[in-house]
Amino acid sequence: MPVEGGSSSGSASAARHPKQKRKAHSLSIRRTNSTEERPPGILRGDMLEGQDSKLPLALRNNLLDLFGQIEREFENLYIENLELRREIDSLNERLTGDGQAIEGGDPSKGALKAKASHSTSQLSQKLKTTYKASTSKIVSSFKATTGSRALCQLLKEYIGHRDGIWDLSITRTQPVVLGTASADHSALLWSIETGKCLLRYAGHAGSVNSIKFHPTEQMALTASGDQTVHIWRYMVQLPAPQPPPDVSAPCDDDQDSSDREEGEVDGDGPSEVPTVRVATATLKSHQGVVIAADWLVGGRQVVTASWDRAANLYEVETSELVHTLTGHDQELTHCCTHPTQRLVVTSSRDTTFRLWDFRDPSIHSVNVFQGHTDTVTSAVFTVGDNVVSGSDDRTVKVWDLKNMRSPIATIRTDSAVNRISVSANQRIIALPHDNRQVRLFDMSGVRLARLPRSNRMGHRRMVCCTAWNEENQACNLFTCGFDRQAIGWNINIPALLQEK
């Protein structure tokens, strides 16, 4: 999470400690005689101790059990063959003593072959029957991962920030550009098609934690660790589209960005782009880090969320504080406004999120929802009557505004969830994770795809935020992370839904 006035990677790692990279080790199986008993107190988990692996411990134990059963089957077969050999030798000695000749050479070969063939056939049939389900699960998981590469293709990388990127957003007016907010005290505007930085805002004295664009005008709203919120105007001109790069040319980009020096910046950087340093309006009522801000419908008011446990409502024209929304017991983590109604949802580290209703000027009602067991990192509205909340408890829950007593869907993941987003047209939920993954789900909780990730593709550190762009009949998803880059993805929605 962003820290007050901080911009370095060290300050961010104080709140979230990235896991160090683990060396890959192959799974080693030590053969043991089935007649030997393991020393008391020695479990399979202890046998695996000291062997790093990306497989979960339960899966590794299951594999050991399977290999152990296979070993015992072959051992029994071996013992049977030894007994059969002794019987054949005894029979040969008797026949030799009686002076009878044996036709066809060594009869032991045929008997052994028949016995071995029969036992091997039984073993093969047993293995097929016993382990068919487990094998099918493994194969199906490989198919899902491979298929996601065709469904979700990398479109463009946006490289230029000197520290982690906390938030990103797409403009709602023409020209359509991408905005990113970073811990390096700046916000950048990018050309989506070319990946070129168009403008830099440098008016904050702390980490820029959030960026949102006005619904009808060329204005941006940024929240910062310097305890202020800035409203500033921008004017950009899109560059001419560039020809696609030659993908057949050799490239040496296997270096993990997490291994690069902190001062090293990829690409041309924003040093030569126009810079805005003065805000049109500055909102200063908070006593702590302002973690997020958003425009209310119509763009005449804004709401802000802070680590001082309060959310504030301001008039844009006068910069006047209208309401202070209090009630959360711990720091706020996010705020979001409804696209068509005067509704606000705020999330907090106190494991709750609150729904604020400003539709009636004389009544400002609030509802508290306790559906998570850890920090609620974000809660967002959908175009319909739903709220989607994500948490550090590794779950995402979908709620119906008409009945918020219990979630209508629960998504369970294997990593903490950061700032989520929901596409307006297709209502697909994009989940950014601490473990560098980005997953897509539908509103009923069915997993659709996972964005591909490798040394050459995807994020290499924690993914902080996602944002959708569905202009011009295209569906693009933008993600940003603490690896100092934003990435644009082309999502094949028809194929995605067909796979579902």
Side-chain angles (χ1 to χ4, degrees):
M1 293 295 292
V3 296
E4 184 172 357
S7 63
S8 65
S9 299
S11 62
S13 62
R16 294 184 185 267
H17 301 280
K19 296 183 179 66
Q20 295 180 352
K21 294 194 297 184
R22 295 179 297 179
K23 297 181 179 178
H25 293 273
S26 60
L27 181 64
S28 61
I29 307 296
R30 183 169 53 188
R31 186 185 186 281
T32 59
N33 196 322
S34 64
T35 59
E36 297 178 358
E37 295 184 359
R38 292 179 186 163
I42 299 299
L43 302 176
R44 290 193 183 274
D46 299 327
M47 295 176 64
L48 296 175
E49 188 174 0
Q51 301 181 14
D52 283 338
S53 174
K54 296 182 179 179
L55 294 176
L57 182 59
L59 179 57
R60 299 180 69 192
N61 287 335
N62 188 30
L63 288 176
L64 283 176
D65 290 335
L66 296 179
F67 284 122
Q69 294 179 41
I70 294 173
E71 182 184 24
R72 286 192 292 273
E73 290 289 343
F74 278 103
E75 189 175 24
N76 293 334
L77 179 62
Y78 177 72
I79 294 173
E80 290 179 4
N81 286 337
L82 288 180
E83 294 176 353
L84 182 60
R85 168 69 70 177
R86 284 193 293 268
E87 292 178 3
I88 292 175
D89 290 342
S90 176
L91 180 60
N92 285 337
E93 290 176 1
R94 278 198 214 154
L95 293 176
T96 303
D98 294 341
Q100 298 181 12
I102 303 175
E103 296 183 1
D106 188 359
S108 64
K109 291 183 179 180
L112 277 175
K113 184 175 181 181
K115 182 70 175 179
S117 176
H118 178 67
S119 300
T120 304
S121 176
Q122 289 182 336
L123 174 63
S124 176
Q125 186 64 29
K126 186 175 182 180
L127 288 176
K128 287 181 180 179
T129 305
T130 306
Y131 311 123
K132 184 176 181 180
S134 300
T135 307
S136 299
K137 291 181 180 179
I138 296 174
V139 172
S140 63
S141 64
F142 288 150
K143 287 182 179 179
T145 304
T146 305
S148 65
R149 295 183 180 274
L151 301 175
C152 313
Q153 298 180 344
L154 190 143
L155 182 66
K156 185 67 66 175
E157 293 179 328
Y158 307 89
I159 302 174
H161 279 292
R162 298 180 178 272
D163 211 331
I165 305 176
W166 295 120
D167 196 22
L168 49 72
S169 183
I170 307 295
T171 58
R172 308 184 199 182
T173 59
Q174 296 294 335
V176 178
V177 297
L178 170 69
T180 55
S182 171
D184 64 7
H185 299 194
S186 72
L188 301 181
L189 303 188
W190 306 83
S191 167
I192 293 177
E193 289 77 14
T194 65
K196 180 180 179 181
C197 182
L198 306 176
L199 185 141
R200 177 174 181 260
Y201 180 72
H204 285 290
S207 169
V208 184
N209 303 324
S210 172
I211 181 170
K212 289 291 184 293
F213 293 101
H214 193 278
T216 58
E217 300 182 34
Q218 291 188 350
M219 289 196 299
L221 176 70
T222 51
S224 174
D226 61 12
Q227 304 183 7
T228 67
V229 175
H230 289 183
I231 300 174
W232 45 277
R233 293 187 175 273
Y234 63 89
M235 292 185 63
V236 294
Q237 183 176 0
L238 295 180
Q242 298 177 353
D246 185 5
V247 295
S248 62
C251 59
D252 187 15
D253 57 354
D254 283 338
Q255 182 186 13
D256 196 324
S257 66
S258 61
D259 297 331
R260 299 170 184 161
E261 298 296 331
E262 291 298 327
E264 181 181 351
V265 178
D266 296 308
D268 298 333
S271 57
E272 302 299 328
V273 301
T275 301
V276 177
R277 301 182 184 275
V278 180
T280 305
T282 301
L283 312 178
K284 299 181 178 180
S285 300
H286 283 292
Q287 303 301 315
V289 169
V290 187
I291 196 66
D294 201 358
W295 304 87
L296 263 72
V297 57
R300 296 181 179 179
Q301 292 179 323
V302 298
V303 62
T304 61
S306 172
W307 283 6
D308 62 9
R309 307 182 184 181
N312 289 343
L313 186 66
Y314 296 91
E315 288 286 347
V316 173
E317 187 175 351
T318 61
S319 301
E320 177 185 357
L321 176 62
V322 179
H323 294 290
T324 297
L325 313 179
T326 59
H328 282 291
D329 295 331
Q330 295 187 39
E331 296 91 337
L332 273 65
T333 58
H334 192 243
C335 66
C336 180
T337 60
H338 194 279
T340 60
Q341 303 182 57
R342 291 176 56 80
L343 297 174
V344 175
V345 62
T346 57
S347 57
S348 170
R349 291 185 59 189
D350 62 10
T351 73
T352 71
F353 65 94
R354 293 180 175 237
L355 178 64
W356 311 82
D357 191 345
F358 297 102
R359 289 176 292 186
D360 189 340
S362 60
I363 303 176
H364 303 125
S365 62
V366 57
N367 294 291
V368 183
F369 303 100
Q370 300 176 337
H372 293 280
T373 60
D374 205 338
T375 298
V376 183
T377 53
S378 65
V380 299
F381 291 102
T382 68
V383 173
D385 293 330
N386 295 111
V387 174
V388 183
S389 59
S391 171
D392 280 342
D393 65 7
R394 303 182 179 183
T395 67
V396 174
K397 300 192 175 184
V398 182
W399 309 78
D400 188 348
L401 278 175
K402 298 177 182 178
N403 182 10
M404 298 284 286
R405 294 181 180 179
S406 60
I408 60 178
T410 298
I411 301 170
R412 304 188 184 278
T413 67
D414 58 355
S415 180
V417 181
N418 297 313
R419 292 184 179 178
I420 61 181
S421 64
V422 182
S423 65
N425 296 338
Q426 303 296 335
R427 292 163 61 84
I428 297 176
I429 310 170
L431 309 184
H433 292 285
D434 275 2
N435 65 358
R436 304 175 290 174
Q437 302 287 353
V438 180
R439 294 181 173 92
L440 305 181
F441 290 80
D442 67 8
M443 295 293 290
S444 62
V446 176
R447 177 174 167 177
L448 300 178
R450 185 190 72 187
L451 267 60
R453 192 189 67 79
S454 65
N455 277 347
R456 295 172 179 264
M457 185 183 301
H459 289 283
R460 299 169 177 88
R461 291 191 182 180
M462 174 181 69
V463 187
C464 301
C465 182
T466 60
W468 291 91
N469 177 34
E470 298 174 283
E471 298 290 336
N472 301 326
Q473 298 181 349
C475 188
N476 297 329
L477 176 66
F478 295 88
T479 61
C480 65
F482 207 66
D483 54 0
R484 300 176 292 175
Q485 68 172 343
I487 302 178
W489 304 86
N490 181 36
I491 310 299
N492 189 339
I493 295 296
L496 198 67
L497 298 179
Q498 185 177 3
E499 287 286 330
K500 169 185 172 183

